Amino acid sequence: MKAIVVRPPQEGVEVRDVNLEEPNNGKILIRTKLSGMCGTDRGIVSGKLTFSRPPDGYDYLVLGHETLGEVVEGNEHFKPKDLVVPVVRRGCGTCLNCKMGRQDFCETGNFTEIGIRGAHGTMREEFLEDPRYLVRIPSVLRDVGVLLEPLSNVVKALNEMEAVQRRTWWSCDDSTYSCRTAVVLGSGPIGLLFSMALRNLGFEVIVANKRPPSPVEMEVVNGINASFVNTSEHKELKPDLLVDTSGHPSAFIPILPKVKKNGAVILFGTTGQENYGLTAEDVTTLVENNIIIFGSVNASKLDFEMGANLLVTLLGKYGELVNKLITKRVGVEEAPEVLRRKVPGEIKTVIEWK
Ligand SMILES: [Zn+2]
C-alpha cells in the first residue's frame, strides 16, 4: 500500500509502497480518510527532531499521527464505517502512569509514538490498531475529526490548568471563567484551538502574534469573539492565563511578570531555539504573585474522548469556523512538498486518502 515514509534522523520524505507484515491479534483494520500535517511532522522531515526513530527492525518510519480513519473490519465494539481516531503515545509498560493509561505522563521515557518515535504512523492507506488505543467519534465530525489529535493536547493542558488552579478561588461567580482573560501566544492551529476551547470555558481571549493576522486567522478570531494583538506594535498584555504555543522564550518571558496574581502559565510550544533570560526581579514578581508555570505534552485517551465532545460543541457553536481551520486538502502525491514547506496562509493542511 501507499505510505508517506521518512528515515529519521536523515532529512527527506517520499511516497512509496510499503508492505508491513503486522500480526492481527484482535486489532481493528482501519482505512485512513484524512491525515493532518503539523510542526512535528515537518521537524522529522527536516531532520531537526532528533528523537524521531523508526520502529525496531525497520530502516524507515511511516509518518503520521493526526488521523481520521474509518473501520473496515471491526469487533463487537467497532463496526464497519465507524469513524475512529487513534491515540498517539503507547506506554512503556513499566511505570505506574503507563499502567494506568496515562502514558502522556510516562516516567521512564520508554514510550513509543505512532509516526514519531519507534512506531509506524498512519499516513498510509490502511492500518491495524489495537482497540485499546482507538477513540470512536460521531459521524458529525466526518470533515473535522482530523483536528481531534491536536485538540486532545489542548484539552489535556486545560484539564491540568483546572486541576492546578483549584489551589485558589479562580473561577468566577457564574462558575465559568468569564471574569478571566487568557492571552494565547501564536495563531497556528494549536493557538486557535486553545482560543476556541478557552472561549468555551468563558475566558475573554486575546490571540497574540508578532505579525498581523492572516485573513482566515482574523475571521476565526472575530467569529469566536476573541481579539487579535500584534505584539510588535502592542506590549501591554495582562493575562490571568498565559498560553505559549510559540516555543519562543522572547515571546512569553517578558509577559510573565505581568500575569495577574494567582495566574497560570501553560507552556506548549517547543523548539524555539533561542536563549532568553529571566531576571531576579521577575522571579520575585512571580513568587509574590503566586504564578504557576507548567509544561504540557501529549494526551490520554480520556482527553481524546473529551476532545471529541468539545469538537462537537465547537462545531455547534462556531460551525464553519471550525472547518476553516483546515485551510487546504491535498492528495497523497502532493503531501511531500507540503511536508517540506508550509503552504502560505496555512492553518492546517490535511491529506485526503482516496
Ligand atoms: Zn511509562
Side-chain angles (χ1 to χ4, degrees), residues 17-258:
D17 270 307
V18 296
N19 183 17
L20 306 174
E21 283 173 16
E22 299 171 297
N24 187 311
N25 291 343
K27 289 182 176 173
I28 309 290
L29 178 63
I30 297 153
R31 185 178 300 123
T32 310
K33 305 285 285 179
L34 298 172
S35 299
M37 292 181 259
C38 76
T40 300
D41 299 312
R42 290 193 172 110
I44 296 168
V45 166
S46 68
K48 286 186 184 131
L49 268 196
T50 50
F51 58 67
S52 180
R53 62 174 197 276
D56 291 342
Y58 287 88
D59 64 353
Y60 66 88
L61 170 73
V62 176
L63 200 61
H65 63 277
E66 296 184 5
T67 321
L68 176 69
E70 189 178 83
V71 172
V72 179
E73 287 168 21
N75 61 13
E76 68 272 34
H77 302 296
F78 293 92
K79 303 277 175 266
K81 301 237 176 241
D82 278 353
L83 295 178
V84 287
V85 174
V87 307
V88 177
R89 191 178 283 187
R90 314 301 158 92
C92 71
T94 54
C95 86
L96 193 53
N97 281 315
C98 286
K99 285 181 175 172
M100 298 301 289
R102 289 311 303 254
Q103 56 268 21
D104 55 316
F105 284 110
C106 178
E107 294 196 355
T108 65
N110 298 329
F111 54 80
T112 59
E113 290 174 328
I114 58 167
I116 301 172
R117 43 185 141 194
H120 285 309
T122 54
M123 285 185 186
R124 45 180 153 148
E125 290 172 278
E126 56 182 43
F127 58 98
L128 287 166
E129 186 58 276
D130 183 338
R132 174 181 168 79
Y133 296 119
L134 269 187
V135 174
R136 191 174 60 230
I137 64 168
S139 57
V140 66
L141 297 180
R142 180 164 295 278
D143 291 329
V144 296
V146 69
L147 297 172
L148 179 53
E149 192 282 328
L151 184 63
S152 71
N153 297 297
V154 167
V155 167
K156 174 192 170 176
L158 294 180
N159 283 339
E160 288 177 279
M161 181 274 290
E162 292 207 87
V164 297
Q165 287 302 77
R166 279 185 206 123
R167 66 196 175 127
T168 175
W169 292 109
W170 207 61
S171 55
C172 309
D173 66 4
D174 63 356
S175 80
T176 76
Y177 297 93
S178 58
C179 60
R180 302 290 176 193
T181 299
V183 168
V184 178
L185 298 177
S187 48
I190 290 289
L192 293 178
L193 288 172
F194 260 113
S195 301
M196 287 183 167
L198 287 164
R199 283 294 297 132
N200 192 53
L201 290 173
F203 282 90
E204 182 189 334
V205 173
I206 299 169
V207 182
N209 210 326
K210 59 181 185 234
R211 54 158 176 80
S214 72
V216 182
E217 287 168 344
M218 202 64 237
E219 192 179 348
V220 172
V221 168
N222 286 338
I224 63 171
N225 283 322
S227 52
F228 192 99
V229 162
N230 182 340
T231 51
S232 63
E233 297 169 348
H234 185 291
K235 294 253 186 233
E236 273 307 290
L237 293 167
K238 291 185 175 162
D240 294 285
L241 174 68
L242 177 64
V243 181
D244 179 67
T245 73
S246 77
H248 292 287
S250 62
F252 68 84
I253 285 181
I255 306 174
L256 292 182
K258 295 177 185 162

